[in-house]
């Protein structure tokens, strides 16, 4: 299988200036280790769910993979365009309408008007927003805004799409919309990385399940194997404790 992402012994640390956190176990020699010796690889077409409590290192890992931040040490290799769908989709809306917003990226890529139009129409179709293509973008629902953000990265021909907490501040209809999009992207062969602590909503989609705890990778395997472990020891709620009986039920 084609490896699109490879991390070898990746560490990301920050200088500590607050004396109150010097006793934290992630602090050594005056540095806070947000990522501590992380190694992993992701192959094309995989859907990988990365879970962890707040402060576990999920967002820092996303930033390093996407090239928004440089690692302190270790090696990061990526192959293919990476698109990000942030936790707050409003921060990604740059156009007055979905049509204008989706066109922003392809235009910056200096594509011809005809190619921009084709990419916009294709993306609108893929995320099922054709009927609202010319609505005010900021009037869309939360789920529609996240789908719009995904359309923007699809229009830029991203092979790898990272979703950061896709269910944050989302109502039930929005969650259903997001999961419909994730299932479609997975079926289309996109490589998906989903950073979330809400496993009950999507774990059934995972080809791989990775857990971060205090900057370290503590589990990397199948979702079924992960559910058999004591997730509470890593400050993660086991979704099967909500009355669900099987992995297949963990998809809203």
């Amino acid at each position: 299988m084609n490896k699109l992402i490879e991390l070898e012994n990746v560490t990301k640390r920050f200088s500590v200036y607050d004396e109150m956190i010097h006793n934290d176990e992630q602090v050594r020699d005056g540095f806070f280790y947000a990522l501590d010796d992380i190694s992993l690889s992701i192959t094309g077409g995989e859907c990988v769910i990365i879970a962890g409590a707040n402060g576990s290192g999920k967002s820092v890992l996303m930033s390093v993979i996407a090239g928004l931040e440089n690692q302190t040490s270790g090696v990061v290799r990526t192959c293919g365009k990476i698109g990000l769908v942030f936790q707050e989709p409003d921060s990604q809306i740059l156009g007055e309408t979905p049509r204008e917003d989706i066109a922003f990226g392809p235009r910056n890529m200096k594509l011809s008007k005809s190619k921009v139009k084709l990419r916009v129409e294709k993306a609108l179709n893929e995320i099922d927003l054709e009927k609202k293509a010319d609505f005010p973008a900021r009037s869309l629902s939360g789920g529609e805004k996240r789908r719009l953000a995904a359309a923007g990265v699809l229009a830029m021909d991203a092979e790898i799409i990272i979703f950061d907490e896709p269910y944050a501040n989302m109502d039930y209809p929005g969650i259903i919309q997001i999961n419909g999009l994730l299932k479609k992207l997975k079926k289309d062969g996109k490589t998906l990385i989903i950073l979330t602590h809400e496993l009950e909503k999507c774990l059934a989609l995972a080809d791989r399940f990775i857990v971060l705890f205090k900057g370290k990778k503590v589990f990397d395997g199948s979702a079924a194997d992960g559910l058999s472990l004591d997730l509470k020891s890593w400050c993660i709620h086991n979704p099967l404790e909500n009355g669900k009986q099987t992995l297949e039920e963990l998809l809203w």
Side-chain angles (χ1 to χ4, degrees), residues 99 102 106 114-130 150-152 154-158 181 184-185 188 190:
R99 191 185 305 278
I102 296 168
S114 60
K115 287 185 177 179
V116 170
K117 183 177 179 181
L118 284 172
R119 289 202 180 194
V120 170
E121 295 304 320
K122 182 181 178 183
L124 283 167
N125 178 263
E126 286 179 326
I127 53 96
D128 195 25
L129 275 181
E130 305 102 315
L154 287 171
M156 295 177 69
D157 203 25
L181 173 62
K184 185 179 189 304
L185 292 173
D188 291 344
K190 294 294 183 181

Side-chain angles (χ1 to χ4, degrees), residues 92-145:
Q92 290 184 261
I93 295 177
L94 300 172
E96 292 296 321
T97 66
R99 191 185 305 278
E100 292 176 6
D101 188 71
I102 296 168
F104 184 85
R107 283 175 181 157
N108 279 353
M109 295 168 65
K110 307 300 182 184
L111 298 180
S112 66
K113 287 184 178 180
S114 60
K115 287 185 177 179
V116 170
K117 183 177 179 181
L118 284 172
R119 289 202 180 194
V120 170
E121 295 304 320
K122 182 181 178 183
L124 283 167
N125 178 263
E126 286 179 326
I127 53 96
D128 195 25
L129 275 181
E130 305 102 315
K131 293 181 179 179
K132 294 192 175 181
D134 299 303
F135 278 46
R138 296 192 180 277
S139 72
L140 300 177
S141 69
E144 289 169 338
K145 286 178 180 176

Side-chain angles (χ1 to χ4, degrees), residues 86-220:
F86 291 101
Q87 183 172 336
E88 296 297 336
D90 284 283
S91 65
Q92 290 184 261
I93 295 177
L94 300 172
E96 292 296 321
T97 66
R99 191 185 305 278
E100 292 176 6
D101 188 71
I102 296 168
F104 184 85
R107 283 175 181 157
N108 279 353
M109 295 168 65
K110 307 300 182 184
L111 298 180
S112 66
K113 287 184 178 180
S114 60
K115 287 185 177 179
V116 170
K117 183 177 179 181
L118 284 172
R119 289 202 180 194
V120 170
E121 295 304 320
K122 182 181 178 183
L124 283 167
N125 178 263
E126 286 179 326
I127 53 96
D128 195 25
L129 275 181
E130 305 102 315
K131 293 181 179 179
K132 294 192 175 181
D134 299 303
F135 278 46
R138 296 192 180 277
S139 72
L140 300 177
S141 69
E144 289 169 338
K145 286 178 180 176
R146 281 206 175 88
R147 284 157 55 203
L148 175 58
V153 300
L154 287 171
M156 295 177 69
D157 203 25
E159 299 171 68
I160 304 161
I161 306 177
I162 303 175
F163 289 84
D164 184 19
E165 296 291 355
Y167 309 109
N169 306 312
M170 193 70 61
D171 59 12
Y172 182 77
I175 293 168
I176 299 302
Q177 289 179 15
I178 294 303
N179 279 346
L181 173 62
L182 292 173
K183 286 189 285 186
K184 185 179 189 304
L185 292 173
K186 181 177 179 179
K187 182 179 179 181
D188 291 344
K190 294 294 183 181
T191 302
L192 304 178
I193 302 174
I194 304 169
L195 311 176
T196 185
H197 64 279
E198 300 183 74
L199 300 177
E200 70 279 1
K201 295 179 173 66
C202 63
L203 193 57
L205 289 172
D207 299 308
R208 291 257 303 291
F209 178 39
I210 295 173
V211 178
L212 299 183
F213 182 65
K214 295 188 176 181
K216 293 182 178 291
K217 185 183 76 171
V218 294
F219 177 78
D220 184 350

